[in-house]
Amino acid sequence: MSGFSFNLLKITDPSRFRLGQLIFSRNKQEKILDTPNCFVYTMRGSVPHLTPDNLQIIPVDSLGITLEHFLEAQPPTSTHFMGGIHKFLNLEDYLLFFDVRDSSKLLHISFNTDKYVSVVTNQGCRKVTVEEYVRYMNIYNPDIFASISDLITDKNPSLKRVKKSVDRTLNWLDETLEQIKEGIHVFGVVTGHDKHEERVRSAQETANRNVAGFVLNGFDLDVTSKERLDLMKISLKHLPKNKPRVAYGLGAPEYVLLGIFEGIDIFDASYPSEQTSLGHALTFLLLENGIQNEQEKFIDLWDNKYRTDFRPILNGCKCYACQNHTRAYIFHLLVAHEMLATVLLMSHNLFHYLQFFKDIRKSINNNTFTNNAMQFIRASNITDEIDIKPNFNYRNY
Ligand SMILES: [Zn+2]
């Protein structure tokens, strides 16, 4: 495919976690997204709390954009702009990944038919057909988008309903691949809800199509991250190694690590903005003795004890907030309900989250990932639920 490829640089044997590069063209230049990595979360095309010029001092490479944030009018007014979605959002240097729905919202309406899916907007529900979605994508011209999937939000759907969901999702993928113009890359959505055989069928059938990668869509499931990951594992075994895999709903650092152990390359990243909204500043590190317990993952800057704490959020952090401000000042801004509080917090949290992925890649590269990640997961109190074999052999490509 032109302007887009995925290079697998390193993989463990037996095959579990991987180091790779997504290579894409933007403004006639080759850009690289190193994996494991994340698509930074946006609301209406903007990273929460930050302006595009704030973003330039954070090493962001890729963003996830959601159609439902643009669907107040139908067709969205942004589709009348013919310069493409990168230019419309002033995000011309970034890899933009599109999906229909917001992966951070776990509750969705699920009134779908063979012809359309329903999505939620500020102005109420909207129906989107495959034809409309592909037409919007052909106008927006994102780098990658996920095909439409028939999400189920029923807690215990029948096998018949799950089969129908897999069939619809595959049919919609076929229609999408027929109608999309060259140069926009489609990731197929792997579904199958909680039915083992349907997850296998969905993975195998999607892998038979000419897709550029896969999305493991667990956000229709009202389950814990651990249960979601267990279901994704069934699908992952049936996906080819040479294409990237994106997973939704595993944003907390310990689940990022567990997801990487299972071969996931890219995560949806609403975690930094969610933590920012709570007044939390991220402090976890992927190092030997990086965290000793769950409480060390963040500090709560609403806590009165930071009133006279004149240290940066995190010693050694190179972000703008840590280089120029103190915990006490951010506490003061939070208590005064000043908007700059969340701007500074988000600057740190996003920088820190991206640094975490950088440390993961470094750690896979120098073969310390297994030990560091296992220690982190143990400290997060989910050890009894995990199955990690510590002895991997690495293969370089
Ligand atoms: Zn910082």
Side-chain angles (χ1 to χ4, degrees):
M1 279 182 218
S2 64
F4 179 90
S5 60
F6 180 66
N7 285 352
L8 206 50
L9 303 174
K10 192 166 189 168
I11 187 168
T12 54
D13 189 16
S15 170
R16 295 284 279 270
F17 52 97
R18 315 122 60 80
L19 195 66
Q21 286 182 326
L22 236 158
I23 302 171
F24 62 102
S25 296
R26 176 114 306 280
N27 289 336
K28 296 183 181 157
Q29 284 188 334
E30 190 176 90
K31 299 241 171 190
I32 294 176
L33 179 72
D34 293 308
T35 62
N37 214 318
C38 62
F39 292 140
V40 172
Y41 178 75
T42 61
M43 274 295 282
R44 300 178 192 87
S46 153
V47 176
H49 314 294
L50 299 180
T51 58
D53 58 323
N54 297 149
L55 260 194
Q56 286 176 3
I57 54 169
I58 300 171
V60 174
D61 294 312
S62 59
L63 300 150
I65 317 281
T66 304
L67 181 69
E68 74 179 4
H69 297 161
F70 291 87
L71 261 183
E72 283 83 4
Q74 206 163 5
T77 47
S78 46
T79 57
H80 299 296
F81 179 77
M82 300 314 286
I85 197 72
H86 292 79
K87 201 173 179 62
F88 185 69
L89 302 175
N90 185 23
L91 296 171
E92 289 181 82
D93 288 333
Y94 300 92
L95 180 141
L96 297 188
F97 172 86
F98 236 95
D99 201 343
V100 181
R101 288 176 157 181
D102 182 336
S103 59
S104 76
K105 290 192 217 154
L106 293 174
L107 290 174
H108 287 278
I109 50 168
S110 68
F111 186 71
N112 302 335
T113 71
D114 287 344
K115 298 284 176 207
Y116 63 82
V117 293
S118 302
V119 304
V120 188
T121 76
N122 280 351
Q123 310 286 316
C125 286
R126 296 283 183 274
K127 296 169 185 169
V128 183
T129 65
V130 175
E131 197 195 339
E132 286 167 328
Y133 182 50
V134 177
R135 193 167 71 239
Y136 302 155
M137 292 304 107
N138 280 335
I139 296 169
Y140 284 156
N141 206 15
D143 301 288
I144 311 169
F145 73 95
S147 55
I148 289 190
S149 61
D150 179 22
L151 294 183
I152 303 170
T153 49
D154 302 351
K155 274 210 160 171
N156 296 302
S158 63
L159 181 59
K160 192 177 158 197
R161 174 68 186 93
V162 176
K163 277 185 174 172
K164 188 192 268 184
S165 148
V166 171
D167 288 339
R168 275 180 183 164
T169 304
L170 289 167
N171 290 340
W172 292 341
L173 175 59
D174 289 336
E175 281 180 52
T176 301
L177 291 169
E178 271 170 30
Q179 294 167 27
I180 197 68
K181 67 182 186 188
E182 206 179 322
I184 309 177
H185 305 285
V186 181
F187 277 24
V189 180
V190 177
T191 56
H193 206 269
D194 60 348
K195 304 290 185 276
H196 190 117
E197 62 277 28
E198 286 304 300
R199 291 205 78 88
V200 173
R201 183 168 75 95
S202 175
Q204 288 174 336
E205 288 291 329
T206 309
N208 285 338
R209 267 74 170 173
N210 185 25
V211 293
F214 304 94
V215 176
L216 290 136
N217 192 338
F219 71 91
D220 51 344
L221 300 167
D222 184 16
V223 293
T224 63
S225 294
K226 170 67 176 60
E227 290 164 328
R228 184 175 299 127
L229 183 63
D230 282 345
L231 291 168
M232 287 179 181
K233 274 154 74 171
I234 301 168
S235 317
L236 280 160
K237 283 183 196 146
H238 299 275
L239 297 180
K241 292 190 185 93
N242 62 348
K243 291 183 179 176
R245 300 94 173 257
V246 179
Y248 292 159
L250 301 174
E254 60 275 24
Y255 284 103
V256 166
L257 298 175
L258 284 169
I260 289 169
F261 270 114
E262 300 306 331
I264 288 163
D265 303 299
I266 304 171
F267 296 78
D268 67 318
S270 55
Y271 186 79
S273 41
E274 285 161 9
Q275 294 298 312
T276 298
S277 303
L278 297 168
H280 294 173
L282 305 179
T283 52
F284 53 81
L285 296 168
L286 182 75
L287 298 168
E288 204 177 335
N289 302 318
I291 63 164
Q292 302 299 315
N293 59 59
E294 179 76 9
Q295 285 71 43
E296 293 179 22
K297 278 162 55 184
F298 61 84
I299 57 173
D300 180 358
L301 283 170
W302 280 104
D303 194 319
N304 217 23
K305 71 182 177 191
Y306 297 114
R307 185 181 290 274
T308 53
D309 188 336
F310 301 114
R311 292 175 294 172
I313 293 169
L314 185 63
N315 270 331
C317 177
K318 300 276 189 293
C319 85
Y320 175 84
C322 290
Q323 293 290 305
N324 295 285
H325 295 287
T326 60
R327 296 174 175 186
Y329 182 54
I330 299 171
F331 169 86
H332 159 76
L333 293 170
L334 277 174
V335 173
H337 300 286
E338 184 56 60
M339 222 167 70
L340 183 59
T342 49
V343 173
L344 291 176
L345 270 176
M346 186 62 181
S347 299
H348 168 79
N349 285 344
L350 185 53
F351 187 99
H352 186 81
Y353 196 70
L354 293 170
Q355 183 64 42
F356 180 64
F357 278 93
K358 205 171 166 183
D359 290 344
I360 289 170
R361 294 191 297 269
K362 197 169 148 191
S363 184
I364 295 177
N365 204 26
N366 66 22
N367 303 345
T368 56
F369 178 72
T370 310
N371 286 342
N372 293 349
M374 283 182 75
Q375 183 169 348
F376 194 106
I377 292 160
R378 269 191 213 109
S380 302
N381 298 328
I382 48 172
T383 6
D384 56 332
E385 302 174 31
I386 58 168
D387 158 37
I388 297 172
K389 296 178 186 72
N391 298 318
F392 291 110
N393 296 312
Y394 289 92
R395 271 183 287 143
N396 284 304
Y397 281 79

